[in-house]
Amino acid sequence: MNGQAIQLKQTDATVAKDQIRTALEVIHDVRSSNKLRQEASEYLEKVKLDDEAPHHGYIIAADQSQPAVIRHFGLSLLDYAVRHRWNQYTVEQNTLLRDWELDLARNLTEQDPSYIRNKIASIWVDIAKRSWALDWMNMDECLVGLWKGPLAPKELVLAILETLSEDVWGHEDPVAGLRSTELSKACLDIFTPMTVLLSLYPSRERNINVRYGEEGWLSRMGDLLEWCISQEGDDEARQACAVKIMITLRSAIGWAIPQSLSTTRITSRLCQALQSSSLPIQLAAVDTMHVVYNRTKLSKDDFKALIVPMFTHDTVELLQKIYDWSCVDATDIDEEKYLLLKKLSELVFNIGGLLREHPALIPIDNGFNTFLRLLINIAKNKSLQVSICALHTWVKILGSETLVSSLPVTSFVGELLEVCSQRVIKYEALPEDSPDPSVVFLNEDIDTVPERHLFLGNYMRFCKMITERIVQQSPADALYHILGSAEQVISHLYDGEPAFSMHSYSKTSVPFLKMDAQCSILEAGLKGSVRWLTARTDENGVHEQEVMLQNLKVWCERILGLNFEDPSVKERVIQLAVGFATGPLRKDARFAFKIFDYILDTKYPDDPNCPSYSEAVKDLQGLCIHELQRLAMKFSDYLITIFDEVERKVSQVSQAVARDDNVRARYYSVLFIITHRAASVDPQPRQERLETFLQPLVAQWQDSKLTQSLSSFSMFCELLGCGGIQQYVAQRALHRIPDWSATPLDEEGKALQLQMQHALERLPLRATKAFLSVSVEKLEPNSTAHQMAGRLWEKMMPMILPNLLAMIKQAHAFHDAANWKDLPPEMSGIVHRMLTDRFWQIGISVGSRDEFYAKVGDTKNTVEGLASSIRATVRAVRETGYKLLCYMGLLGEHFYSYKELPQPLSAALFTDAHALSTHQMAILVETIRPVIENCPVASRSHFLPRILAGLFEQLDRKASDEWDKIEQRTRNSEGRVSLDEEMRDESVLRQLTYTSVMLVVGLLDPNKPNPPDPKLANGAAPNSFPHIEHGNIRSFILATPQILKPLILFCTHAIRMRDTRSCSLITRVLGSLVPEFETEGEIDTEVREFLSTEVLKACIISLHDSYFVDLQKDLSQLIASIIIIYAPRTETPKQILLSLPSIPAEQVDQAIQQLYKAHQNTRQQRAIVLDLLESLRGVSISEQGRITKPDRRKVRSAIEESYMTVDMQGDGQIKQESPDLGGVADMFGRP
């Protein structure tokens, strides 16, 4: 384009217009061949690059006789010129472009389709971001001129204002970011009424004036909204305009000056819109009000003006009226009305959430009572997604002492407790086709089972929190209500249900679900009563306390006197009873012993012919031991006084009911706890007695046969009862059987299963875990009991650790197919198939946990059942070994002080870790993390380097390899892997990546405190021990190259791993490291160069990848930090940028200088980087126009998402193919 372009010959423009039209017709004609369509597309691309393209575009777009699709292409030519060539034009040429845009805007008609209007608006905003308040000072005047016209130009103005507001304030727009200060100030100027600006900023600078008129756009839009609604009727154009106004308001309300909202009566006008008979207007009004009442930290004056009016009687009555009208029947759901209902409940949640800011300003009158009544009504709604917002609001209200003491909430307590007791039932256990309205709504709202589980977990949590807080505030009345309701339900569990039968046993029977719900509410109530008892310090309430405690005791004893045939119901009764004993009745040791005795007397007949029932009986036995341990920890001083009696009964029960030595060891651990925790007995006799419990275990660990069995892989297999597995698999050619779960297991296979079970029971792992866990759990570090446990196990660990580490190492080696030497080469793949865990996990598994375990149980006598037994055996060895190390770590220096430990420990954990599956690796990281974090400061230098170096080397290897496999599978997809399996593998890999990244985040947290130091526990000053370094673990890692190098290498590769949540975290972690290495030093220089090359490259490659489009903010910030901090010290960042294609050296130099100037403006920094790398930046598929706009009824709000967060696809995007990045990977090597 040249300065005389507008005077081109008309014939040239006509020819260009005709050729463009012909090319577009070819592209859109279904009869066109691919070759013709491709040639037409290439021609149109060339047209964009022509110097006269903007003029051709203007001529075409301005010609009203042309079809809209032709005119839209003309607009795209203008758009391309503005976006990509603006900086190449002279001031006169840019002014010419702007004049063409103004001419097109002024000539827009009612008949023009919306996409023409939107394109004109988009070009307008693109010009504004580059020149408004710089050399285009009358833009606001131009907008006001358009505003004076009919509805079509008004809607164009609204589109311009919305887009401008979003780009300047809402989006991370790189062009707007370059001028963020000027543009944001200019937006405030033109949106805000002049009266508000003068009252708030009387001395404001006026020499640069970009506004036109006194009103401001908030006022103009408010006036037009009021007119549209008052004149609404059946005029669809006015209804559409009203909706568009509110959409535009929504983009600005979040940043507008609060006083301007009250001055322009925005909230009252929105309430007026809410009364409209048009559902789209009502929805738009609720959405806009949601933004208003999502603002926090308002001043008192703004709170009075914006928030207090929402609690007046008339306003709340309006909300109640809309709520009543929008309620829908579960059997006939009107989707639009139901959407309004859900949005209204969120609006009420936002309004209620603001109560805590200035509760004293809220008038406690009839209006506020009406608001509380509205909250109760919403909480009662059959739709749990509607109800949860009200419950969450009640949690906030009841959690504020100021609100509870000043607000009239007591009159609603009974109804609230009733709602909570009815809604804590496990809805996920009900069949999907249940006629229960709540289940119907739940299926309508939440498609996937994992998300349903998370949502229901949050819902139940709110019900329990409300119950707990109500009881804490008024225990007598609340407990009377809860206990009465529970007793009524428990007394009629089987009303309308068939009598209990072992043969038809189900863990999700209606009687059990009723019992579970009541126990959940009772347990929440008990927590509340404990809080009340703890807070009471006055003597006047002693009698009240005694009466309450006596009533609780009597009620509990009455329940214990009932007979329950269902072992699952009995479990809940026992848990509840222990909750009474360890909660409000914790000072009554005799009552606790009654519960203790009651549990020991609990016996249920086992029936192997009823497998579900039999499994429940085993679960009950495990629960009984756990609850006995809880009581023993809490009441050890009392139980030690009757120890002989307790020991006799525990011994009798263990001999009578225990299935094997491991279960008996768990029973004896109860006696161990009593002896260990009883402070009233002298330490020396206790220590000697405790050693007698452990000596048989230590003897097992020191058995020479065990040591021999761990000396080779084949002997380890014999130790686990797996010695004949390879031969069995090969003889039966299991690799040729496609469905193992449909193939019955023969007698030899069943014998192998039994052999593995007995072999596992003979190992000392579980018994050691039973005693070691109770030695450290729920103990304060450096307490007397903790110190005794340390001294006790310090003698034992050297005798346990050698074989324990050998066992873990062999368990890892078990997963390496190279060790299965008796299998023929063609069967090596069967090892992976056989050892890949089946597991249930929220976010991955389909169906409930109970359904999963039922399915596993059904395949017990199949080939899949044999594989499951092999996995379970090795998993038990592996994960029990991890837990033992975690428990040992809780012993502090008694464990970490062994100088010889790090090398064999690292070898055991990481030598063969690459053979583990992704899921198993994630478990290793998660369970070994406490061992790292609990390392005392004094032991770091000798313990952590080997451990952390080995861990991050394996994590980097495993995660990188698995992501490469995913990428390869995506590129070469040939249908060999099912979609479900592919999604599962990817989800599990995301979990490993996130778990690993969270470990890095924890280790490099600058505010992470050190673990307790026993040397400082007695008040000694830190400088009394000069050999101990007292910096946190971050400073230790940064000063230890052996750890730092593999850690940073993992972080660098994590930038390219396709999990947005993990990538976002790792960019921030690396960003925090950049300033640490700006000084001179050997480590600093090496790390600085690595960050300036490899990390910078990884960021640029990810920035190019459309998968990471939502992370461009984080990536560009890290790039900016590296350049700003390191470019003055090394040429490396600049050289990396210069090696990129299509970026001139002068542009790189200019960007670096701009970054130096913007060192305190992070948004501007990001904008500079994104502008520099614009030609390489990835584009989202929505920008590419490859996806349609989603159905707004199916788009979840932020509040809905907060109640169900699940990692199905880390960033929630539609799964898409990976782009071809081959060229990008090579672009750094160019001279």
Side-chain angles (χ1 to χ4, degrees):
M1 181 179 74
N2 56 53
Q4 305 301 315
I6 199 168
Q7 299 177 6
L8 282 175
K9 294 181 180 178
Q10 187 67 28
T11 53
D12 293 342
T14 303
V15 170
K17 182 169 60 178
D18 291 343
Q19 290 174 336
I20 289 169
R21 178 171 181 170
T22 301
L24 288 170
E25 287 174 348
V26 168
I27 290 173
H28 290 95
D29 191 342
V30 294
R31 295 168 297 179
S32 299
S33 66
N34 289 337
K35 182 179 179 181
L36 277 177
R37 192 174 284 116
Q38 183 177 355
E39 290 175 353
S41 298
E42 289 173 354
Y43 168 75
L44 293 178
E45 286 299 316
K46 290 179 181 177
V47 168
K48 288 183 181 180
L49 302 176
D50 188 85
D51 287 343
E52 305 302 326
H55 176 248
H56 296 329
Y58 165 66
I59 295 297
I60 294 170
D63 187 351
Q64 297 282 350
S65 65
Q66 294 295 327
V69 67
I70 305 293
R71 293 176 59 209
H72 186 270
F73 180 77
L75 290 172
S76 71
L77 294 178
L78 278 175
D79 181 58
Y80 184 86
V82 173
R83 286 174 178 264
H84 300 286
R85 308 183 73 178
W86 181 269
N87 292 333
Q88 301 171 24
Y89 296 150
T90 64
V91 174
E92 293 77 13
Q93 290 172 327
N94 286 336
T95 303
L96 193 59
L97 276 175
R98 189 165 65 229
D99 291 343
W100 289 341
E101 165 65 15
L102 289 171
D103 185 62
L104 292 171
R106 293 187 184 113
N107 289 291
L108 192 70
T109 66
E110 300 278 353
Q111 289 72 39
D112 285 324
S114 60
Y115 60 85
I116 293 289
R117 182 188 67 229
N118 292 340
K119 192 66 175 178
I120 292 175
S122 174
I123 297 171
W124 183 300
V125 172
D126 280 327
I127 294 174
K129 288 185 295 189
R130 291 164 172 82
S131 64
W132 181 40
L134 188 64
D135 57 13
W136 186 14
M137 304 304 296
N138 70 334
M139 187 191 80
D140 197 38
E141 182 179 358
C142 296
L143 290 174
V144 173
L146 291 171
W147 189 257
K148 293 176 181 178
L151 283 183
K154 281 185 171 67
E155 290 187 359
L156 173 63
V157 172
L158 291 171
I160 291 169
L161 292 174
E162 179 197 358
T163 307
L164 184 64
S165 171
E166 289 288 352
D167 284 356
V168 173
W169 288 91
H171 300 151
E172 191 74 12
D173 185 85
V175 179
L178 291 171
R179 303 182 58 236
S180 58
T181 303
E182 301 98 317
L183 292 175
S184 57
K185 182 179 181 298
C187 282
L188 275 173
D189 267 4
I190 68 170
F191 274 81
T192 309
M194 181 61 79
T195 55
V196 174
L197 288 175
L198 292 176
S199 66
L200 293 176
Y201 311 108
S203 59
R204 65 190 294 269
E205 185 181 352
R206 302 187 186 186
N207 56 349
I208 300 178
N209 192 6
V210 296
R211 66 178 293 131
Y212 181 82
E214 301 290 312
E215 307 97 320
W217 284 107
L218 287 177
S219 180
R220 294 187 189 101
M221 288 189 287
D223 291 343
L224 182 60
L225 175 62
E226 191 170 339
W227 178 81
C228 285
I229 294 170
S230 63
Q231 304 291 326
E232 178 190 331
D234 295 325
D235 191 334
E236 292 184 3
R238 290 185 180 178
Q239 289 182 14
C241 184
V243 171
K244 182 63 181 174
I245 292 167
M246 286 185 280
I247 291 173
T248 307
L249 281 171
R250 193 157 68 234
S251 72
I253 282 174
W255 54 263
I257 298 171
Q259 187 178 326
S260 66
L261 301 180
S262 54
T263 301
T264 55
R265 299 186 295 113
I266 291 296
T267 53
S268 62
R269 284 163 163 169
L270 291 174
C271 286
Q272 185 181 350
L274 201 56
Q275 301 177 62
S276 168
S277 59
S278 166
L279 197 51
I281 289 180
Q282 288 179 304
L283 285 166
V286 172
D287 280 339
T288 309
M289 292 176 78
H290 177 86
V291 180
V292 176
Y293 297 106
N294 202 31
R295 295 187 63 156
T296 56
K297 298 180 181 178
L298 297 171
S299 68
K300 288 187 177 181
D301 290 339
D302 293 330
F303 191 90
K304 287 179 183 177
L306 293 174
I307 310 304
V308 171
M310 296 306 296
F311 293 98
T312 61
H313 181 75
D314 290 345
T315 305
V316 179
E317 279 291 317
L318 169 62
L319 295 176
Q320 179 68 61
K321 178 182 175 183
I322 301 298
Y323 169 77
D324 291 338
W325 178 81
S326 59
C327 284
V328 296
D329 193 309
T331 59
D332 183 23
I333 299 177
D334 182 323
E335 291 190 351
E336 290 289 330
K337 286 178 69 174
Y338 185 44
L339 178 63
L340 176 62
L341 177 65
K342 290 190 285 187
K343 287 180 177 293
L344 185 67
S345 73
E346 293 181 6
L347 173 61
V348 173
F349 166 75
N350 279 345
I351 295 171
L354 291 167
L355 281 170
R356 295 186 298 178
E357 288 203 9
H358 301 288
L361 300 179
I362 303 294
I364 308 305
D365 54 15
N366 188 39
F368 190 79
N369 277 316
T370 309
F371 179 77
L372 294 181
R373 168 52 56 192
L374 173 61
L375 276 180
I376 289 291
N377 291 340
I378 296 175
K380 290 180 177 179
N381 195 282
K382 296 294 184 182
S383 166
L384 302 186
Q385 198 159 69
V386 172
S387 170
I388 195 171
C389 292
L391 291 180
H392 196 174
T393 306
W394 276 110
V395 168
K396 292 184 175 185
I397 291 174
L398 294 169
S400 169
E401 291 185 12
T402 306
L403 290 176
V404 171
S405 60
S406 62
L407 304 182
V409 300
T410 52
S411 56
F412 299 99
V413 162
E415 289 179 271
L416 258 182
L417 288 174
E418 193 66 29
V419 170
C420 292
S421 63
Q422 292 173 356
R423 298 290 176 83
V424 290
I425 193 167
K426 291 183 176 177
Y427 287 98
E428 63 267 37
L430 298 176
E432 284 200 30
D433 58 354
S434 168
D436 187 308
S438 294
V439 176
V440 175
F441 280 120
L442 195 62
N443 293 335
E444 169 73 16
D445 293 326
I446 308 175
D447 296 329
T448 68
V449 172
E451 286 180 317
R452 227 170 281 163
H453 287 163
L454 283 169
F455 172 82
L456 291 172
N458 283 319
Y459 194 94
M460 182 176 287
R461 180 166 57 88
F462 290 149
C463 288
K464 291 177 180 179
M465 290 173 73
I466 289 171
T467 304
E468 180 181 339
R469 291 176 179 180
I470 289 176
V471 172
Q472 182 180 353
Q473 295 297 327
S474 51
D477 294 338
L479 284 174
Y480 176 81
H481 184 282
I482 293 171
L483 295 175
S485 299
E487 188 165 2
Q488 181 69 16
V489 172
I490 292 171
S491 300
H492 299 85
L493 275 182
Y494 285 91
D495 285 7
E497 298 293 328
F500 177 79
S501 169
M502 295 182 188
H503 299 281
S504 59
Y505 169 81
S506 170
K507 286 199 75 169
T508 57
S509 65
V510 172
F512 170 74
L513 294 177
K514 289 181 182 177
M515 186 69 183
D516 179 69
Q518 294 306 311
C519 288
S520 295
I521 286 295
L522 281 164
E523 287 161 348
L526 293 179
K527 287 184 180 178
S529 69
V530 170
R531 288 179 177 271
W532 179 78
L533 289 168
T534 304
R536 291 300 290 258
T537 57
D538 60 308
E539 297 180 0
N540 298 330
V542 172
H543 177 70
E544 183 183 359
Q545 293 180 29
E546 290 176 349
V547 171
M548 185 189 78
L549 294 177
Q550 183 61 28
N551 288 338
L552 288 174
K553 184 176 178 180
V554 169
W555 189 92
C556 184
E557 288 176 338
R558 189 159 59 246
I559 296 301
L560 293 180
L562 300 176
N563 180 44
F564 301 100
E565 296 179 275
D566 187 331
S568 296
V569 172
K570 188 74 165 185
E571 272 192 40
R572 294 302 279 123
V573 171
I574 290 174
Q575 287 175 313
L576 181 62
V578 174
F580 273 88
T582 58
L585 298 173
R586 62 191 182 280
K587 294 183 179 180
D588 191 341
R590 292 182 181 275
F591 175 76
F593 180 64
K594 285 184 181 179
I595 306 298
F596 191 92
D597 203 44
Y598 176 83
I599 297 173
L600 285 173
D601 287 338
T602 297
K603 297 181 182 66
Y604 273 69
D606 196 357
D607 188 347
N609 295 320
C610 306
S612 296
Y613 172 81
S614 179
E615 195 64 33
V617 171
K618 292 175 185 175
D619 290 342
L620 174 60
Q621 186 184 60
L623 183 277
C624 286
I625 297 174
H626 175 71
E627 298 301 334
L628 287 171
Q629 290 173 339
R630 283 182 64 196
L631 291 171
M633 289 179 184
K634 195 78 174 177
F635 300 98
S636 55
D637 283 325
Y638 175 77
L639 293 173
I640 199 71
T641 63
I642 52 172
F643 187 78
D644 291 342
E645 179 184 350
V646 172
E647 182 178 29
R648 182 171 57 254
K649 187 152 189 178
V650 169
S651 299
Q652 290 173 353
V653 171
S654 67
Q655 295 299 323
V657 303
R659 302 182 302 275
D660 55 58
D661 289 341
N662 289 309
V663 177
R664 277 189 285 275
R666 291 191 66 200
Y667 272 108
Y668 283 115
S669 71
V670 176
L671 302 177
F672 181 93
I673 293 170
I674 297 170
T675 307
H676 179 215
R677 310 280 174 118
S680 57
V681 180
D682 291 339
Q684 188 59 36
R686 285 160 58 200
Q687 183 99 16
E688 293 172 357
R689 180 62 188 271
L690 292 172
E691 288 180 4
T692 63
F693 283 104
L694 301 183
Q695 285 166 357
L697 275 178
V698 173
Q700 283 184 274
W701 282 107
Q702 288 192 295
D703 189 340
S704 59
K705 293 181 180 178
L706 177 63
T707 306
Q708 182 67 23
S709 297
L710 295 170
S711 62
S712 70
F713 179 75
S714 59
M715 296 185 72
F716 175 71
C717 292
E718 293 290 343
L719 178 69
L720 298 190
C722 303
I725 289 296
Q726 296 187 55
Q727 183 180 0
Y728 181 88
V729 169
Q731 287 178 348
R732 284 155 183 77
L734 297 187
H735 63 296
R736 295 176 182 166
I737 300 176
D739 187 358
W740 284 355
S741 59
T743 306
L745 194 61
D746 58 23
E747 292 303 317
E748 185 179 345
K750 293 177 182 178
L752 281 171
Q753 281 182 317
L754 194 60
Q755 186 175 311
M756 285 185 284
Q757 179 184 336
H758 291 159
L760 185 60
E761 290 170 357
R762 287 193 296 269
L763 294 177
L765 281 167
R766 290 176 176 171
T768 307
K769 179 186 172 185
F771 284 102
L772 188 52
S773 63
V774 299
S775 299
V776 293
E777 283 182 346
K778 299 183 180 178
L779 281 180
E780 288 295 324
N782 304 316
S783 63
T784 302
H786 185 269
Q787 291 173 353
M788 178 177 288
R791 291 192 300 270
L792 176 68
W793 286 98
E794 189 173 23
K795 300 177 183 178
M796 310 297 177
M797 284 188 292
M799 295 179 272
I800 295 173
L801 278 168
N803 279 340
L804 173 61
L805 296 182
M807 204 174 285
I808 294 173
K809 189 175 186 305
Q810 293 289 7
H812 285 183
F814 197 89
H815 292 265
D816 190 344
N819 293 320
W820 292 54
K821 300 185 184 302
D822 292 340
L823 287 180
E826 67 271 13
M827 294 187 68
S828 59
I830 203 172
V831 177
H832 174 75
R833 179 181 176 186
M834 186 177 295
L835 298 181
T836 298
D837 285 329
R838 291 185 295 176
F839 58 92
W840 185 92
Q841 193 167 346
I842 290 178
I844 297 175
S845 307
V846 177
S848 69
R849 184 193 300 266
D850 292 335
E851 289 171 342
F852 168 78
Y853 283 114
K855 184 177 179 180
V856 171
D858 291 342
T859 61
K860 183 178 180 180
N861 294 318
T862 66
V863 172
E864 179 58 41
L866 175 62
S868 182
S869 297
I870 298 169
R871 289 192 295 268
T873 302
V874 180
R875 182 171 59 247
V877 174
R878 190 178 64 244
E879 295 183 8
T880 307
Y882 299 161
K883 289 301 293 182
L884 290 178
L885 293 174
C886 288
Y887 291 136
M888 289 178 182
L890 292 174
L891 295 169
E893 62 178 2
H894 300 284
F895 170 70
Y896 292 97
S897 60
Y898 291 119
K899 299 295 183 183
E900 304 82 7
L901 179 60
Q903 193 280 327
L905 177 59
S906 178
L909 291 173
F910 308 126
T911 299
D912 295 294
H914 66 276
L916 298 175
S917 70
T918 307
H919 174 63
Q920 292 155 359
M921 190 71 168
I923 292 173
L924 170 61
V925 176
E926 196 62 45
T927 51
I928 216 66
R929 179 175 176 172
V931 177
I932 296 167
E933 294 179 339
N934 290 329
C935 179
V937 175
S939 300
R940 280 178 184 162
S941 58
H942 90 271
F943 183 84
L944 288 181
R946 279 185 178 275
I947 303 301
L948 286 176
L951 174 60
F952 282 109
E953 285 167 4
Q954 289 300 321
L955 280 179
D956 187 33
R957 175 182 177 181
K958 185 68 180 179
S960 297
D961 286 351
E962 293 300 323
W963 279 114
D964 288 345
K965 289 177 184 177
I966 293 285
E967 292 293 302
Q968 189 69 26
R969 183 192 298 171
T970 303
R971 285 193 293 267
N972 303 327
S973 180
E974 298 176 3
R976 292 188 298 269
V977 181
S978 70
L979 181 60
D980 286 345
E981 186 179 345
E982 185 176 346
M983 290 178 65
R984 183 203 65 202
D985 290 348
E986 204 165 324
S987 186
V988 175
L989 182 53
R990 282 199 175 87
Q991 284 200 342
L992 170 62
T993 307
Y994 182 69
T995 301
S996 306
V997 166
M998 286 307 296
L999 173 63
V1000 174
V1001 171
L1003 291 174
L1004 296 181
D1005 180 0
N1007 300 314
K1008 190 180 185 68
N1010 288 325
D1013 192 330
K1015 294 182 176 62
L1016 304 179
N1018 298 321
N1023 57 13
S1024 302
F1025 306 95
H1027 63 284
I1028 297 178
E1029 181 190 350
H1030 290 281
N1032 68 1
I1033 195 168
R1034 174 188 170 98
S1035 59
F1036 171 76
I1037 290 173
L1038 297 185
T1040 310
Q1042 186 180 351
I1043 303 173
L1044 184 61
K1045 291 180 180 180
L1047 186 149
I1048 289 185
L1049 186 61
F1050 167 76
C1051 293
T1052 305
H1053 294 156
I1055 293 174
R1056 296 289 302 126
M1057 294 175 188
R1058 301 173 76 79
D1059 177 50
T1060 52
R1061 181 175 57 166
S1062 299
C1063 184
S1064 176
L1065 286 170
I1066 217 69
T1067 54
R1068 295 175 198 178
V1069 168
L1070 287 168
S1072 77
L1073 293 184
V1074 171
E1076 300 280 356
F1077 301 99
E1078 59 178 322
T1079 58
E1080 296 304 323
E1082 185 177 347
I1083 297 178
D1084 298 74
T1085 302
E1086 186 178 355
V1087 174
R1088 184 166 59 240
E1089 288 301 312
F1090 185 87
L1091 293 173
S1092 299
T1093 52
E1094 301 307 318
V1095 172
L1096 188 56
K1097 288 180 182 179
C1099 287
I1100 294 172
I1101 293 174
S1102 288
L1103 197 70
H1104 180 79
D1105 189 340
S1106 60
Y1107 179 88
F1108 296 99
V1109 70
D1110 291 334
L1111 291 178
Q1112 290 183 358
K1113 176 180 178 180
D1114 296 322
L1115 292 164
S1116 59
Q1117 186 61 63
L1118 179 54
I1119 293 171
S1121 299
I1122 291 173
I1123 296 171
I1124 291 171
I1125 296 174
Y1126 291 165
R1129 292 167 177 79
T1130 172
E1131 283 287 306
T1132 306
K1134 181 179 177 179
Q1135 293 304 316
I1136 294 295
L1137 294 174
L1138 288 173
S1139 70
L1140 297 171
S1142 306
I1143 301 181
E1146 59 272 16
Q1147 192 175 347
V1148 172
D1149 289 333
Q1150 182 184 8
I1152 292 175
Q1153 293 305 314
Q1154 289 176 331
L1155 285 170
Y1156 290 157
K1157 294 176 183 177
H1159 67 281
Q1160 291 184 334
N1161 187 331
T1162 55
R1163 184 183 178 188
Q1164 203 164 22
Q1165 292 170 18
R1166 296 191 293 270
I1168 293 167
V1169 170
L1170 292 174
D1171 182 59
L1172 175 66
L1173 303 177
E1174 175 66 25
S1175 61
L1176 301 174
R1177 185 169 65 88
V1179 180
S1180 68
I1181 54 175
S1182 59
E1183 287 184 76
Q1184 297 168 12
R1186 289 163 56 189
I1187 57 173
T1188 57
K1189 188 176 180 180
D1191 186 345
R1192 64 174 178 168
R1193 291 168 298 185
K1194 298 299 183 182
V1195 176
R1196 291 183 184 143
S1197 67
I1199 294 178
E1200 287 176 320
E1201 287 290 353
S1202 71
Y1203 295 135
M1204 53 184 114
T1205 303
V1206 65
D1207 184 29
M1208 291 297 290
Q1209 176 83 7
D1211 51 7
Q1213 293 183 352
I1214 300 171
K1215 183 174 171 59
Q1216 54 186 297
E1217 289 187 3
S1218 305
D1220 181 6
L1221 298 178
V1224 185
D1226 296 333
M1227 65 188 178
F1228 296 104
R1230 301 182 183 182

